[in-house]
Amino acid sequence: MAVTEPAAAAAATEIPPQVPPQGSRGTIPDGSDVRGGAGGSVGSEGILRRQAQRESAARTYARSLPIVPVRARGLTIEGADGRRYLDCLSGAGSLALGHNHPVVLEAIRGVLDSGAPLHVLDLATPVKDAFTTELFAGLPPALAADARIQFCGPAGTDAVEAALKLVRTATGRSGLLAFTGAYHGMTAGALDASGGASEVRVTRLPYPQDLRCPFGVGGPEGAELSARWTENLLDDPKGGVPAPAGMIVEPVQGEGGVIPAPDGWLRRMREITAARGIPLIADEVQTGVGRTGAFWGVDHAGVVPDVMVLSKAIGGSLPLAVIVYRADLDVWAPGAHAGTFRGNQLAMAAGTATLAFVRENRLAERAAALGERMLTALQGLACGHPCIGEVRGRGLMIGVELVDPDTGAAAPALAAAVRQECLNRGLIVELGGRHGAVVRLLPPLTLTDEQAAAVLDRLADAIPAAARRTH
């Protein structure tokens, strides 16, 4: 069942014909042709087999997406077996401009060709200065006016750790406020603040949502109850919550199921924390750089946090993570937080180009408009499919929650079947949310109308096909 007009055939063929680079035979390590045919298929299977034999059992995407990418551009990935896929995972949201965007490649080549050092620890360089200048130009003005930046290890979870250490050092307190359903990374401190923590060492607060509202009401009333719960808990002398070092919140919970924070509720969190001297940390690792239809997720609510955690898209597809925070929190001693690879020059150059391109081409506004059209189309699809419990999201951060039509319970098996049916149709999606029952779409901000139509049509075909398989 299509939800759009037929998409242009070119939507799935972004990668043009290309000869192997000079000196290359276009082969993968076991000698098979990467461009398809029987040889490519055999080579692909060999690589996947060796991966399963040699890599950690902790690998994730490789289990559900048995693809060996050999080329990519924009929305499209080409596998070693010659198949092409529309990539709505986008490096878990890292690829704001899609794969191998020309401005990103040009920026990387510029550094390589210049002879500039690639590894500089935390020394000042023209590349770093340009990145910081471009980043500060896009920050909420009230924060940028007197902000400090800390370059962290290469992953978003490293920046979360830095943010938690920062506020604990600045306040002299150790407690933390976090939210149900949160995801902040895989290192120890970040996991403690995430919704799946097994040994909770933070105070967990209810995050408002409609489909599974913890108060059973949803909407503005549910958000108000969440805010009142938070306020009462902090002010109750018998609440068991001493003044915490900070509150960390995602403007849209991504791994938690693509749940946008209501603007009014987020403003209340800012008011509650400011009134009590609690630093507010906005985790913008996945929501930043135009993803939600504003440059930063907090911009929708007009909230200015004390600390922003940034990674993924800011590196232009390469590893980069920073925190930006109010100057008065900058009480660290030299070396109090460090990392060998905090000076990634290639990532800074790619990030500068990405930030500038998103800003100059108003891609956040484009994401808002196109995302709204996609949400509307998917909500229309839900009307004819009772297995779709809710369609939600913001900008080009979209989630479709699959449920048991009879009970309304989360349907992880159906969601997994939808993911597989999408893959069969050349569409890459991932799952998230409670019980892994939410199909997530994170296409690049450069998505065209024709590509959006192709994505929607393939998903619309996959859902009833999966429902038949799991019935």
Side-chain angles (χ1 to χ4, degrees):
M1 174 182 176
V3 297
T4 66
E5 292 301 317
T13 58
E14 243 178 305
I15 303 176
Q18 177 176 310
V19 297
Q22 186 174 2
S24 167
R25 297 168 136 201
T27 59
I28 52 182
D30 62 0
S32 301
D33 189 337
V34 301
R35 287 171 293 169
S41 178
V42 172
S44 174
E45 291 170 2
I47 290 174
L48 292 171
R49 183 179 63 254
R50 288 189 291 276
Q51 180 187 44
Q53 292 170 343
R54 299 188 295 209
E55 289 192 23
S56 164
R59 67 190 186 281
T60 54
Y61 301 112
R63 294 180 182 275
S64 58
L65 302 171
I67 301 168
V68 178
V70 293
R71 285 198 296 151
R73 181 178 296 177
L75 181 68
T76 307
I77 285 177
E78 182 178 322
D81 59 0
R83 289 197 66 193
R84 288 175 175 170
Y85 302 86
L86 304 184
D87 181 13
C88 279
L89 178 57
S90 297
S94 299
L95 306 176
L97 305 183
H99 294 275
N100 292 330
H101 193 281
V103 302
V104 172
L105 297 182
E106 181 181 2
I108 293 171
R109 289 191 187 102
V111 175
L112 293 174
D113 293 343
S114 72
L118 300 183
H119 190 289
V120 294
L121 297 172
D122 66 351
L123 300 179
T125 70
V127 174
K128 178 192 278 189
D129 183 63
F131 170 79
T132 304
T133 300
E134 181 63 42
L135 179 65
F136 273 45
L139 291 175
L143 178 60
D146 192 28
R148 297 293 183 270
I149 185 170
Q150 169 74 29
F151 288 85
C152 308
T157 190
D158 301 308
V160 169
E161 296 286 349
L164 302 185
K165 184 190 292 185
L166 174 75
V167 296
R168 284 169 170 155
T169 301
T171 64
R173 305 189 289 260
S174 61
L176 185 69
L177 301 174
F179 291 89
T180 54
Y183 178 77
H184 298 292
M186 294 300 291
T187 50
L191 280 173
D192 281 347
S194 299
S198 57
E199 297 181 9
V200 177
R201 286 177 280 181
V202 302
T203 300
R204 196 76 56 194
L205 301 170
Y207 192 94
Q209 54 177 307
D210 292 335
L211 184 62
R212 306 194 187 283
C213 175
F215 305 104
V217 293
E221 185 180 358
E224 172 61 22
L225 290 171
S226 171
R228 289 181 61 184
W229 174 277
T230 300
E231 199 165 22
N232 180 73
L233 191 65
L234 291 174
D235 293 343
D236 184 353
K238 298 293 185 181
V241 183
M247 172 189 284
I248 185 166
V249 63
E250 299 160 273
V252 180
Q253 286 192 341
E255 301 296 329
V258 195
I259 305 173
D263 292 342
W265 175 84
L266 196 55
R267 286 191 287 269
R268 283 288 299 280
M269 293 303 103
R270 173 70 284 187
E271 293 166 2
I272 289 168
T273 52
R276 292 159 181 79
I278 302 169
L280 178 64
I281 305 167
D283 183 341
E284 293 264 10
V285 168
Q286 194 165 100
T287 53
V289 195
R291 169 62 56 189
T292 67
F295 208 91
W296 308 109
V298 294
D299 290 345
H300 294 284
V303 163
V304 180
D306 302 296
V307 184
M308 293 179 69
V309 181
L310 311 176
S311 188
K312 290 192 185 292
I314 67 163
S317 76
L318 300 179
L320 187 64
V322 306
I323 57 172
V324 181
Y325 51 91
R326 289 193 344 252
D328 62 287
L329 295 174
D330 195 34
V331 298
W332 275 338
H337 193 79
T340 302
F341 292 101
R342 57 193 152 144
N344 190 335
Q345 297 293 280
L346 292 180
M348 291 176 192
T352 302
T354 297
L355 293 167
F357 192 89
V358 171
R359 175 178 53 80
E360 292 166 0
N361 292 277
R362 304 176 66 87
L363 292 190
E365 292 91 332
R366 165 70 178 168
L370 184 54
E372 186 61 34
R373 293 205 300 272
M374 293 179 73
L375 279 171
T376 299
L378 289 169
Q379 286 161 353
L381 178 68
C383 294
H385 294 282
C387 64
I388 299 178
E390 188 175 43
V391 176
R392 55 183 179 256
R394 204 157 203 178
L396 289 176
M397 191 172 181
I398 297 170
V400 179
E401 180 154 353
L402 282 305
V403 300
D404 183 316
D406 298 322
T407 66
L414 175 58
V418 170
R419 177 179 59 191
Q420 182 58 51
E421 291 291 345
C422 284
L423 193 63
N424 294 345
R425 289 159 175 77
L427 175 63
I428 297 173
V429 300
E430 246 307 325
L431 306 181
R434 274 72 166 177
H435 312 290
V438 179
V439 176
R440 302 181 59 205
L441 299 177
L442 290 166
L445 308 187
T446 51
L447 188 73
T448 67
D449 290 349
E450 292 78 13
Q451 290 169 341
V455 167
L456 292 172
D457 284 341
R458 294 180 193 196
L459 180 57
D461 285 342
I463 290 174
R468 289 191 295 270
R469 279 179 51 192
T470 58
H471 182 66

